[in-house]
Amino acid sequence: MQIPLQVKGQTIDAVVGIDLGTTNTLVARMLDGVPHVIPDRHGRVITPSVVSIDEEGAQVVGDEAKVRALMNPSGTLHSVKRFMGRGLADVTDLHHLPYKVVRDDMSEQAAFLVHGRKFLPQEVSAMVLTEAKKRAERSEQLRIRRAVITVPAYFDDAQRQATRDAGRIAGIDVLRIINEPTAAALAYGLDKRKRGTVLVYDLGGGTFDVSLLKLTDGVFKVIATTGNTRLGGDDFDDVLSTLLLDEAQRAQVQGNAQALRALKTAAESAKIALSSESEATITLDLPEVDLQVETTVTRAQYEAAIAPLIDQTMKAVEFVLDEADLDPEDIDEVVCVGGSTRTPSVRARLEQEFDKPPHTELDPDQVVAMGAAIQASVVAGENTDGAVLLDVTPLSIGIETYGGGVTKLIWRNSPIPIRATEGFTTYVDDQTAVSIHVLQGEREMAKDLRSLGRFVLRGIPPMTAGMARVLVEFFIDTNGILKVTAKEMTSGVEASIDVTPTYGLTDEQVEDMILDSIEHAEEDILAHLLADLKTEAGSTIRFSRKALDKQGHLVPEAIRAGVEAAIAGLEEALQGDDKEVIEAAAAVLNENTAPIANAMMDEVLRVTVKGKTIGDVVGNAPRTSAKDIQLG
Amino acid sequence: MTSEYSKTSDGFRCDECGGDMAVPLFCDHCGTNYPERRAMGPFTVLGLAERWEQDDDAVEARELTLAARLHPDQWQGRGDRTHKQAQLAWAAVNTALKAVKDPFDRAMTLIESSEEHDDGLLGDSKRDVPQDFLIEQLELQEELESPVSDDRRKALNKQIRRELKELRRQLAGHFEIVDATAHAGAAAGEARIAALRGARSVVSRSRYWRNARQALRARRS
């Protein structure tokens, strides 16, 4: 971690686009009319969406959190996006996870229990956002207050609100929430053909979207969208990890956080290897469950195993074409977005379906953040002749009717913003309140739909049953977020409305979290940076000690001595308040501890791909171009 | 065939602040939102002649021009009130497009806003659809309650497209009379009423086919 000297007058206020992904988070901004992803001071453009929290409650985010996952599996949270705006009942595959998921009574959401403390998905996402923001601020001397944040197109209202709340908790004024495939189209559309029908296939770490857009002279109009918010590269990893172990071995690993974590890392690296190689050999050594495995997986085996997942995505592609009443030959361009589209068989299936190779010129990991940056400059008023986005709502919205049915008020794929009104009345004499249950989804019965919230209209003047005329207005704004207002027409009294989101936070709860978060407090920024730095340094020391203690035997004595010395150096630096000294000492310690972390990784797993070592395959180095990865 | 917004001699001027407006829907200066203020109908919002016959490309072009000028993203930096009004104005454009863009929806919008409809001269809509058509649709609905093979689905989709195309052709015939007699008043008499009834029957039938298409889609998701 490095902190630039704060030179007054040199910091630029920047409006950025942020891709808050299941696995990675990226920040981009416009420079001379061109979007570019902001690297940190080490040149890394990707902040892994991983948060590691140790026993003392200290948090590390990003690459370092990823390294700590092996030592602190139950305290390292990844794929948090899957839990945004979700209840516990929505999350089915908990046994895959090395960390503990519980129900938060206050918000009815799924939350994480780490060393006895509860964290909401919004809070964890806010930590990721804060880290990504800090990295960008430090490397380019920026101050980031305003941003456009992207979400999967198929995110429902609760998931969108949770994302916006995460931004607010991180101290960001969220100008807009935009859909990931739409952002990608924007990034591609800038210097691509100006007219035509484009299909965006967006397979990310944890979510899948497909959107159809019509491009006409700078207007990007979404015709239809569909997706699956629980399908992505994570599932490819899971499928691959089942190939690595037989049934008995899987049972052995079950329930052991450390072994599960190692298995997931092994699967991830094998997956990446198999995008460019025909086979990969994986060596897993898991002493904690008494298991040693060496398996070779061929690309053919892997592709056969993930074929059902790709079939699911192709069904969605057909669905969206059908919805727009178009045939594959009507599509002018196909665009690949999301890291999982590096998988050669995904590209091959798209080429087969549309009879033309999909676009992969822009890095599939970066293209969404780039599009968000373009939109950020438009909504901030910096780019006045920029593109216009006309998007749609992915899911229908309705209200529960008597008998558990549903009346739909806004249909899926309706252009937004959109407004719909519905009249209600009272059932009994002198009734002063009406309760309304708002639902989202396509099924016919209320119980099969996602509950967005229950709204109670109070303050209706007493009158005969059926006389009251309550007009309820549903309004979906440009962010795809629903607002409900109500008025009693006969008396002119505006009925007050209590909004209780089913899965999510009220405005007050978000305010409290904002006040809680250090990031937003009205104190001296330099003092904060110092406090942050000290907490992080303390955490680095604890991690290094633990690594030394448990895994020190893996490395030569000289390295152990180096770590000891570096710990002492950092401890000494922490006595003082000189940021640069602490920062330098922390960097020395990180450098010295790295061989142990690598040795740990090498010890539990080894992926061999024709003479390459794991470092070449897994690597945290940024991949700058999709072409590097693409098959020749 | 689109008409322009009817300009007064001094262009579009805001009632509220007297400023110039690019289109008579939203004031660039004070943020007044006209679809709401003047309770504009869908054709007025879009600046189109109030008739069924429209040039699809021209309607699309109008939507894009309006988007470039009016879309709320461009008003975000101008304060919360202006942004909110711009969202409402654009929501009104979306509502208008929904009423006007699709030929069957456009037909229904025109039928329901006709004097004959208001005066109850079109009779009960329940009798618009012939019995044998209803029986055919009921059988189709029943079929779609169970899984459908891929081939059958493709065949049905093809049939639905064909039926809708034919209904659209019939609609054009009815509206040739309706559009031509829009300002004829009572003099148009029976011919206009018959054309409106015919058109309403076509729209009702189109709804059955569109529902069938929805059911077919739901079958696969």
Side-chain angles (χ1 to χ4, degrees):
Chain A
M1 177 169 130
Q2 296 182 27
I3 296 176
L5 277 178
Q6 302 275 313
V7 182
K8 286 217 164 77
Q10 280 198 359
T11 310
I12 310 161
D13 259 311
V15 185
V16 298
I18 303 178
D19 173 7
L20 176 60
T22 310
T23 37
N24 297 315
T25 295
L26 294 91
V27 182
R29 69 165 169 145
M30 294 296 272
L31 263 184
D32 303 322
V34 181
H36 91 126
V37 176
I38 309 176
D40 72 357
R41 306 189 97 198
H42 310 287
R44 302 174 297 194
V45 294
I46 282 169
T47 302
S49 306
V50 181
V51 174
S52 187
I53 302 165
D54 70 11
E55 294 85 344
E56 315 266 321
Q59 303 147 10
V60 194
V61 186
D63 302 277
E64 284 173 34
K66 233 175 150 177
V67 170
R68 291 189 192 182
L70 283 174
M71 290 276 295
N72 180 20
S74 61
T76 305
L77 306 171
H78 58 84
S79 302
V80 166
K81 190 173 178 177
R82 286 196 160 185
F83 299 90
M84 296 284 270
R86 285 284 172 259
L88 195 56
D90 300 323
V91 202
T92 48
D93 49 357
L94 292 174
H95 58 278
H96 277 302
L97 299 169
Y99 49 82
K100 197 164 181 200
V101 183
V102 295
R103 180 176 181 276
D104 175 59
D105 294 330
M106 180 177 81
S107 61
E108 289 193 34
Q109 291 179 104
F112 312 105
L113 194 65
V114 181
H115 305 306
R117 241 200 93 186
K118 205 180 332 169
F119 295 89
L120 290 175
Q122 290 95 320
E123 293 177 282
V124 181
S125 292
M127 294 172 198
V128 173
L129 285 170
T130 303
E131 172 71 16
K133 185 178 84 155
K134 266 194 213 158
R135 284 184 177 194
E137 284 178 330
R138 286 172 194 162
S139 78
E140 296 194 355
Q141 307 277 304
L142 307 171
R143 187 170 49 217
I144 296 171
R145 292 264 169 80
R146 297 177 298 163
V148 166
I149 301 181
T150 60
V151 294
Y154 210 56
F155 253 24
D156 68 20
D157 189 73
Q159 292 168 305
R160 282 166 199 269
Q161 292 212 38
T163 305
R164 193 179 54 179
D165 291 344
R168 288 165 67 195
I169 296 165
I172 296 168
D173 176 10
V174 183
L175 296 177
R176 268 280 247 125
I177 296 286
I178 66 170
N179 294 329
E180 288 160 7
T182 315
L186 203 51
Y188 263 102
L190 268 196
D191 47 21
K192 291 231 137 289
R193 54 184 294 165
K194 291 285 185 202
R195 279 170 182 272
T197 308
V198 178
L199 181 128
V200 182
Y201 178 99
D202 181 357
L203 189 57
T207 59
F208 169 69
D209 280 329
V210 51
S211 286
L212 259 180
L213 291 99
K214 205 164 169 185
L215 269 61
T216 320
D217 305 322
V219 178
F220 292 68
K221 192 177 146 188
V222 180
I223 312 170
T225 191
T226 191
N228 183 342
T229 55
R230 310 195 41 77
L231 175 67
D234 276 359
D235 300 290
F236 288 17
D237 296 345
D238 289 345
V239 163
L240 192 47
S241 47
T242 61
L243 290 180
L244 299 181
L245 304 180
D246 64 29
E247 210 169 303
Q249 291 167 328
R250 268 201 297 282
Q252 257 172 290
V253 171
Q254 214 55 260
N256 184 299
Q258 205 148 347
L260 280 172
R261 182 67 239 179
L263 182 62
K264 183 166 170 58
T265 309
E268 243 180 84
S269 19
K271 174 184 75 178
I272 294 170
L274 289 170
S275 279
S276 53
E277 309 294 335
S278 57
E279 61 174 58
T281 301
I282 294 95
T283 314
L284 260 174
D285 186 5
L286 307 170
E288 53 282 333
V289 291
D290 193 24
L291 185 67
Q292 283 83 36
V293 192
E294 188 180 298
T295 327
T296 297
V297 178
T298 66
R299 190 197 280 181
Q301 283 173 320
Y302 171 58
E303 288 183 347
I306 59 169
L309 295 174
I310 300 178
D311 286 348
Q312 271 189 54
T313 69
M314 295 312 289
K315 275 223 160 67
V317 167
E318 272 176 49
F319 180 82
V320 90
L321 286 171
D322 190 19
E323 187 89 357
D325 212 2
L326 294 174
D327 293 315
E329 52 270 27
D330 298 325
I331 304 302
D332 299 306
E333 314 277 348
V334 179
V335 169
C336 275
V337 185
S340 306
T341 59
R342 289 202 170 88
T343 308
S345 59
V346 169
R347 293 181 178 186
R349 279 291 292 276
L350 284 170
E351 181 160 358
Q352 188 191 331
E353 175 80 11
F354 291 98
D355 205 22
K356 53 176 79 77
H359 283 283
T360 54
E361 296 91 334
L362 297 176
D363 186 318
D365 283 323
Q366 298 188 10
V367 61
V368 169
M370 287 162 69
I374 297 171
Q375 186 63 9
S377 75
V378 172
V379 294
E382 287 175 358
N383 181 357
T384 45
D385 54 4
V388 181
L389 286 192
L390 307 178
D391 222 316
V392 298
T393 183
L395 297 156
S396 303
I397 293 203
I399 20 190
E400 182 169 351
T401 52
Y402 186 73
V406 58
T407 300
K408 285 182 183 155
L409 294 179
I410 296 173
W411 291 86
R412 70 161 180 269
N413 289 328
S414 293
I416 50 171
I418 191 150
R419 186 146 78 141
T421 50
E422 179 77 12
F424 290 90
T425 189
T426 45
Y427 290 103
V428 292
D429 289 348
D430 301 332
Q431 184 180 341
T432 57
V434 173
S435 163
I436 292 160
H437 189 193
V438 183
L439 302 156
Q440 191 164 28
E442 308 312 318
R443 307 275 296 275
E444 295 303 318
M445 297 305 289
K447 66 176 168 51
D448 300 323
L449 296 170
R450 171 148 296 269
S451 165
L452 290 185
R454 288 175 192 277
F455 303 90
V456 181
L457 317 176
R458 299 181 201 285
I460 300 169
M463 54 183 108
T464 315
M467 286 301 288
R469 292 276 172 272
V470 179
L471 197 68
V472 180
E473 181 185 295
F474 291 75
F475 181 69
I476 300 181
D477 68 11
T478 35
N479 299 315
I481 292 176
L482 176 72
K483 289 187 181 74
V484 182
T485 49
K487 205 176 193 175
E488 203 287 308
M489 304 306 281
T490 56
S491 62
V493 170
E494 234 169 279
S496 68
I497 194 160
D498 289 342
V499 182
T500 320
T502 306
Y503 301 106
L505 302 167
T506 63
D507 272 353
E508 292 77 36
Q509 288 163 343
V510 175
E511 295 296 327
D512 285 349
M513 286 184 185
I514 293 172
L515 291 178
D516 278 353
S517 78
I518 302 173
E519 194 58 26
H520 213 254
E522 291 287 323
E523 284 171 41
D524 181 12
I525 259 185
L526 288 177
H528 271 304
L529 288 173
L530 182 62
D532 272 7
L533 183 57
K534 283 190 164 181
T535 316
E536 207 172 311
S539 166
T540 305
I541 290 175
R542 282 196 295 280
F543 168 72
S544 304
R545 283 231 172 87
K546 207 164 161 189
L548 209 53
D549 191 33
K550 289 201 170 165
Q551 312 287 342
H553 61 277
L554 298 175
V555 295
E557 168 60 29
I559 290 180
R560 288 202 297 277
V563 176
E564 305 263 16
I567 290 177
L570 183 52
E571 278 177 331
E572 197 188 320
L574 281 174
Q575 302 296 314
D577 285 333
D578 188 328
K579 279 195 294 294
E580 276 180 88
V581 172
I582 298 173
E583 190 188 2
V588 170
L589 178 55
N590 270 326
E591 226 166 85
N592 275 282
T593 323
I596 305 185
N598 288 341
M600 266 166 65
M601 198 90 121
D602 269 349
E603 209 214 10
V604 289
L605 80 105
R606 201 166 285 114
V607 179
T608 331
V609 184
K610 291 178 190 160
K612 292 179 187 171
T613 66
I614 181 165
D616 299 330
V617 180
V618 183
N620 287 327
R623 297 184 290 254
T624 46
S625 162
K627 285 179 196 120
D628 302 343
I629 318 290
Q630 211 175 322
L631 274 187
Chain B
M1 249 217 268
T2 77
S3 82
E4 285 303 312
Y5 295 106
S6 44
K7 280 192 189 187
T8 55
S9 55
D10 53 354
F12 304 126
R13 183 127 311 167
C14 176
D15 293 354
E16 198 65 37
C17 71
D20 291 329
M21 298 191 287
V23 280
L25 295 181
F26 181 71
C27 175
D28 314 13
H29 309 284
C30 67
T32 299
N33 143 26
Y34 279 83
E36 195 138 337
R37 184 190 178 91
R38 294 201 177 146
M40 291 176 164
F43 290 93
T44 320
V45 167
L46 298 174
L48 301 173
E50 190 159 342
R51 51 182 297 144
W52 184 80
E53 184 64 41
Q54 300 282 346
D55 174 347
D56 288 348
D57 291 341
V59 176
E60 175 95 16
R62 173 55 51 87
E63 178 186 359
L64 297 179
T65 320
L66 285 177
R69 287 191 175 283
L70 268 186
H71 193 274
D73 283 355
Q74 283 143 60
W75 302 99
Q76 185 149 2
R78 293 276 296 273
D80 284 350
R81 188 190 166 272
T82 303
H83 187 226
K84 167 87 183 161
Q85 290 303 315
Q87 295 230 28
L88 290 173
W90 189 255
V93 171
N94 276 332
T95 306
L97 284 166
K98 190 173 167 356
V100 163
K101 213 169 170 186
D102 175 89
F104 297 106
D105 294 339
R106 184 161 68 236
M108 208 55 207
T109 303
L110 285 164
I111 294 166
E112 284 179 346
S113 67
S114 70
E115 265 177 50
E116 289 81 359
H117 176 267
D118 284 349
D119 295 345
L121 296 175
L122 301 184
D124 187 355
S125 64
K126 287 191 186 101
R127 300 166 79 175
D128 278 356
V129 182
Q131 196 113 50
D132 49 349
F133 177 84
L134 270 182
I135 290 167
E136 186 191 352
Q137 289 297 319
L138 283 174
E139 279 167 2
L140 184 57
Q141 277 173 22
E142 212 164 296
E143 183 187 345
L144 292 178
E145 273 162 22
S146 358
V148 181
S149 76
D150 260 11
D151 285 348
R152 176 67 179 143
R153 203 187 64 231
K154 277 185 187 137
L156 270 174
N157 258 329
K158 220 171 176 180
Q159 188 196 348
I160 293 171
R161 274 190 208 188
R162 203 174 51 232
E163 299 280 0
L164 286 171
K165 206 171 160 191
E166 167 58 21
L167 287 174
R168 185 176 173 161
R169 200 189 57 78
Q170 292 179 19
L171 205 53
H174 293 304
F175 268 98
E176 214 171 297
I177 299 164
V178 176
D179 282 347
T181 54
H183 304 291
E190 280 307 311
R192 182 174 160 87
I193 289 171
L196 279 166
R197 271 198 200 123
R200 196 174 65 183
S201 160
V202 169
V203 174
S204 300
R205 276 177 284 164
S206 79
R207 285 191 176 157
Y208 280 98
W209 286 117
R210 289 209 279 189
N211 286 345
R213 186 162 62 186
Q214 284 290 340
L216 204 54
R217 280 172 188 161
R219 271 271 131 243
R220 53 189 301 176
S221 57

